[in-house]
Amino acid sequence: MEKAESLSEFYRNKFDWLPDNLKNEMGHFNVFDLQPFIGEKAQPIPYKRRDFYKISLAKGNSRVYFADQVVEVKKQALCFSNPQIPYKWEHLEEYKAGSFCIFNTLFFHQFGNLNQYSVFQPNGTHIFELTDEQLAKIEPIYKKMQEEIKSDYVYKYDVLRNLVFELLHFAMKMEPSTSLDNKHLNASQRITALFLELLERQFPIDEVHQRMQLRSASEFATQLNVHVNHLNRAIKEVTQKTTSQLIADRIAQEAKILLKQSLWNVAEIGFALGFQEATHFNSFFKKQLGVSPLKYRKEE
């Protein structure tokens, strides 16, 4: 698979310069205005993984390819991308404007784990289409970021972190609430959270020799030091899905990404995802998606 774009490469490719503070111990943060997308020869943002986080406010009709999803933005949207999920913007009209901020994990060191937020989780919502009223609330946040980063205030990066959290929570408040939102975190939820963290830790798969190690409910139960029946009951109670379903869904999601974004052959992808034989991977993929891996790879 193509190597994830680093912050250094982002700056070199886009601006042909590197900020002085790129590798300091505080981590990195920056904010930009999106340049209008004008001209017949303008190219879409490439489909790739980045090794940093990005929150974009984009205006204009566009289509976003996010992992295995395609979302069409009619007017304006807030988009959250992270190092695990590749994405691509395809602009459906000539003019596009907005703002975006970028930051790395180190910028939030000791300030919380970004991956605990649903907008940065693989199965979460990543794109939020905004009404004009919502846009009017979001734009001042980016304006404040622009003002703050240019200031000489000694604690400006604390302010900028708070502004990032404003964007996170604004978006998550737009998500439909679930029946578990107002319940106290119980044992089943804690076990489920630990299981999902273990599952997610195995991705993304970036190297052809990398291999998924935990693939069955019993393997996860052993790792978590709980009985497999206890794990299965807890996950079913919290997610209304079986442990095997969640594992299969996540393997299928990564398989779709690898088929579309890597040059590995089907056998190599299957091996990386824990299948000893390509035929086993083919059968699994067809059961999950209804088509063979090769047919899926050829689809637009």
Side-chain angles (χ1 to χ4, degrees), residues 6-7 9 26 31 56 63 72 78 140 220 225 258 297:
S6 67
L7 273 170
E9 290 166 336
M26 290 176 56
V31 59
S56 304
R63 189 177 292 121
E72 183 167 343
L78 195 60
F220 279 97
N225 198 28
L258 291 170
R297 171 170 266 174

PDB file of all heavy atoms in Angstrom, residues 6-7 9 26 31 56 63 72 78 140 220 225 258 297:
ATOM      1  N   SER A   6       3.073  12.086   5.304  1.00  0.00           N
ATOM      2  CA  SER A   6       3.457  12.670   6.581  1.00  0.00           C
ATOM      3  C   SER A   6       3.182  14.164   6.567  1.00  0.00           C
ATOM      4  O   SER A   6       2.924  14.764   5.520  1.00  0.00           O
ATOM      5  CB  SER A   6       4.946  12.426   6.849  1.00  0.00           C
ATOM      6  OG  SER A   6       5.724  13.162   5.918  1.00  0.00           O
ATOM      7  N   LEU A   7       3.259  14.780   7.748  1.00  0.00           N
ATOM      8  CA  LEU A   7       3.098  16.228   7.830  1.00  0.00           C
ATOM      9  C   LEU A   7       4.160  16.944   6.996  1.00  0.00           C
ATOM     10  O   LEU A   7       3.871  17.932   6.310  1.00  0.00           O
ATOM     11  CB  LEU A   7       3.185  16.680   9.287  1.00  0.00           C
ATOM     12  CG  LEU A   7       1.881  16.652  10.097  1.00  0.00           C
ATOM     13  CD1 LEU A   7       2.184  16.883  11.571  1.00  0.00           C
ATOM     14  CD2 LEU A   7       0.898  17.697   9.584  1.00  0.00           C
ATOM     15  N   GLU A   9       5.673  15.855   4.317  1.00  0.00           N
ATOM     16  CA  GLU A   9       5.330  15.710   2.894  1.00  0.00           C
ATOM     17  C   GLU A   9       4.146  16.598   2.530  1.00  0.00           C
ATOM     18  O   GLU A   9       4.102  17.169   1.437  1.00  0.00           O
ATOM     19  CB  GLU A   9       5.024  14.247   2.597  1.00  0.00           C
ATOM     20  CG  GLU A   9       6.258  13.366   2.645  1.00  0.00           C
ATOM     21  CD  GLU A   9       5.917  11.876   2.681  1.00  0.00           C
ATOM     22  OE1 GLU A   9       4.800  11.525   3.110  1.00  0.00           O
ATOM     23  OE2 GLU A   9       6.780  11.077   2.269  1.00  0.00           O
ATOM     24  N   MET A  26       5.811  19.823  21.545  1.00  0.00           N
ATOM     25  CA  MET A  26       4.422  20.168  21.801  1.00  0.00           C
ATOM     26  C   MET A  26       3.473  19.579  20.768  1.00  0.00           C
ATOM     27  O   MET A  26       2.271  19.669  20.906  1.00  0.00           O
ATOM     28  CB  MET A  26       4.253  21.703  21.779  1.00  0.00           C
ATOM     29  CG  MET A  26       4.887  22.416  22.939  1.00  0.00           C
ATOM     30  SD  MET A  26       4.721  24.207  22.753  1.00  0.00           S
ATOM     31  CE  MET A  26       2.938  24.356  22.583  1.00  0.00           C
ATOM     32  N   VAL A  31      -3.699  25.902  10.709  1.00  0.00           N
ATOM     33  CA  VAL A  31      -5.024  26.121  10.135  1.00  0.00           C
ATOM     34  C   VAL A  31      -4.864  26.919   8.849  1.00  0.00           C
ATOM     35  O   VAL A  31      -3.990  27.786   8.741  1.00  0.00           O
ATOM     36  CB  VAL A  31      -5.961  26.843  11.143  1.00  0.00           C
ATOM     37  CG1 VAL A  31      -5.388  28.193  11.553  1.00  0.00           C
ATOM     38  CG2 VAL A  31      -7.367  26.970  10.600  1.00  0.00           C
ATOM     39  N   SER A  56     -11.976  19.509   8.164  1.00  0.00           N
ATOM     40  CA  SER A  56     -12.210  20.433   7.050  1.00  0.00           C
ATOM     41  C   SER A  56     -13.632  20.968   7.057  1.00  0.00           C
ATOM     42  O   SER A  56     -14.594  20.228   7.295  1.00  0.00           O
ATOM     43  CB  SER A  56     -11.977  19.718   5.711  1.00  0.00           C
ATOM     44  OG  SER A  56     -10.689  19.151   5.659  1.00  0.00           O
ATOM     45  N   ARG A  63     -18.173  15.393  -3.859  1.00  0.00           N
ATOM     46  CA  ARG A  63     -18.355  13.997  -3.477  1.00  0.00           C
ATOM     47  C   ARG A  63     -17.113  13.564  -2.707  1.00  0.00           C
ATOM     48  O   ARG A  63     -15.990  13.825  -3.130  1.00  0.00           O
ATOM     49  CB  ARG A  63     -18.548  13.127  -4.720  1.00  0.00           C
ATOM     50  CG  ARG A  63     -18.958  11.697  -4.416  1.00  0.00           C
ATOM     51  CD  ARG A  63     -19.216  10.907  -5.692  1.00  0.00           C
ATOM     52  NE  ARG A  63     -20.402  11.377  -6.391  1.00  0.00           N
ATOM     53  CZ  ARG A  63     -20.418  11.837  -7.643  1.00  0.00           C
ATOM     54  NH1 ARG A  63     -19.288  11.906  -8.328  1.00  0.00           N
ATOM     55  NH2 ARG A  63     -21.534  12.233  -8.208  1.00  0.00           N
ATOM     56  N   GLU A  72     -22.142  12.360  -0.904  1.00  0.00           N
ATOM     57  CA  GLU A  72     -22.244  13.567  -1.725  1.00  0.00           C
ATOM     58  C   GLU A  72     -22.658  14.738  -0.847  1.00  0.00           C
ATOM     59  O   GLU A  72     -23.636  14.670  -0.101  1.00  0.00           O
ATOM     60  CB  GLU A  72     -23.258  13.388  -2.856  1.00  0.00           C
ATOM     61  CG  GLU A  72     -23.309  14.619  -3.757  1.00  0.00           C
ATOM     62  CD  GLU A  72     -24.049  14.381  -5.071  1.00  0.00           C
ATOM     63  OE1 GLU A  72     -24.246  13.213  -5.434  1.00  0.00           O
ATOM     64  OE2 GLU A  72     -24.429  15.378  -5.712  1.00  0.00           O
ATOM     65  N   LEU A  78     -18.768  19.499   7.267  1.00  0.00           N
ATOM     66  CA  LEU A  78     -17.631  19.394   8.161  1.00  0.00           C
ATOM     67  C   LEU A  78     -17.126  17.961   8.062  1.00  0.00           C
ATOM     68  O   LEU A  78     -17.903  17.017   8.201  1.00  0.00           O
ATOM     69  CB  LEU A  78     -18.082  19.711   9.589  1.00  0.00           C
ATOM     70  CG  LEU A  78     -17.021  20.003  10.653  1.00  0.00           C
ATOM     71  CD1 LEU A  78     -16.178  21.209  10.272  1.00  0.00           C
ATOM     72  CD2 LEU A  78     -17.689  20.219  12.007  1.00  0.00           C
ATOM     73  N   PRO A 140     -17.020  30.930  12.579  1.00  0.00           N
ATOM     74  CA  PRO A 140     -16.277  31.726  13.572  1.00  0.00           C
ATOM     75  C   PRO A 140     -15.225  30.931  14.341  1.00  0.00           C
ATOM     76  O   PRO A 140     -14.238  31.505  14.808  1.00  0.00           O
ATOM     77  CB  PRO A 140     -17.381  32.228  14.516  1.00  0.00           C
ATOM     78  CG  PRO A 140     -18.625  32.215  13.691  1.00  0.00           C
ATOM     79  CD  PRO A 140     -18.471  31.020  12.792  1.00  0.00           C
ATOM     80  N   PHE A 220      -9.846 -13.069  21.327  1.00  0.00           N
ATOM     81  CA  PHE A 220     -10.049 -11.788  22.000  1.00  0.00           C
ATOM     82  C   PHE A 220     -10.338 -12.010  23.482  1.00  0.00           C
ATOM     83  O   PHE A 220      -9.839 -11.256  24.334  1.00  0.00           O
ATOM     84  CB  PHE A 220     -11.194 -11.013  21.348  1.00  0.00           C
ATOM     85  CG  PHE A 220     -10.796 -10.272  20.101  1.00  0.00           C
ATOM     86  CD1 PHE A 220     -11.012 -10.829  18.853  1.00  0.00           C
ATOM     87  CD2 PHE A 220     -10.206  -9.015  20.183  1.00  0.00           C
ATOM     88  CE1 PHE A 220     -10.639 -10.163  17.712  1.00  0.00           C
ATOM     89  CE2 PHE A 220      -9.834  -8.332  19.034  1.00  0.00           C
ATOM     90  CZ  PHE A 220     -10.052  -8.905  17.789  1.00  0.00           C
ATOM     91  N   ASN A 225      -8.738 -11.660  29.103  1.00  0.00           N
ATOM     92  CA  ASN A 225      -8.809 -12.433  30.343  1.00  0.00           C
ATOM     93  C   ASN A 225     -10.248 -12.567  30.855  1.00  0.00           C
ATOM     94  O   ASN A 225     -10.525 -12.411  32.053  1.00  0.00           O
ATOM     95  CB  ASN A 225      -7.915 -11.802  31.420  1.00  0.00           C
ATOM     96  CG  ASN A 225      -7.605 -12.766  32.565  1.00  0.00           C
ATOM     97  OD1 ASN A 225      -7.582 -13.983  32.365  1.00  0.00           O
ATOM     98  ND2 ASN A 225      -7.390 -12.225  33.751  1.00  0.00           N
ATOM     99  N   LEU A 258      -8.017  -2.130   1.125  1.00  0.00           N
ATOM    100  CA  LEU A 258      -6.810  -2.700   0.510  1.00  0.00           C
ATOM    101  C   LEU A 258      -7.034  -3.039  -0.962  1.00  0.00           C
ATOM    102  O   LEU A 258      -6.141  -2.848  -1.797  1.00  0.00           O
ATOM    103  CB  LEU A 258      -6.375  -3.946   1.285  1.00  0.00           C
ATOM    104  CG  LEU A 258      -5.821  -3.684   2.695  1.00  0.00           C
ATOM    105  CD1 LEU A 258      -5.655  -5.000   3.452  1.00  0.00           C
ATOM    106  CD2 LEU A 258      -4.498  -2.943   2.630  1.00  0.00           C
ATOM    107  N   ARG A 297     -12.731  -5.029  -6.868  1.00  0.00           N
ATOM    108  CA  ARG A 297     -11.585  -4.184  -7.202  1.00  0.00           C
ATOM    109  C   ARG A 297     -11.793  -3.473  -8.541  1.00  0.00           C
ATOM    110  O   ARG A 297     -11.378  -2.331  -8.730  1.00  0.00           O
ATOM    111  CB  ARG A 297     -10.320  -5.027  -7.238  1.00  0.00           C
ATOM    112  CG  ARG A 297      -9.101  -4.311  -7.775  1.00  0.00           C
ATOM    113  CD  ARG A 297      -7.828  -5.116  -7.553  1.00  0.00           C
ATOM    114  NE  ARG A 297      -7.165  -4.697  -6.306  1.00  0.00           N
ATOM    115  CZ  ARG A 297      -6.111  -5.304  -5.804  1.00  0.00           C
ATOM    116  NH1 ARG A 297      -5.601  -6.369  -6.390  1.00  0.00           N
ATOM    117  NH2 ARG A 297      -5.547  -4.848  -4.695  1.00  0.00           N
TER     118      ARG A 297
END
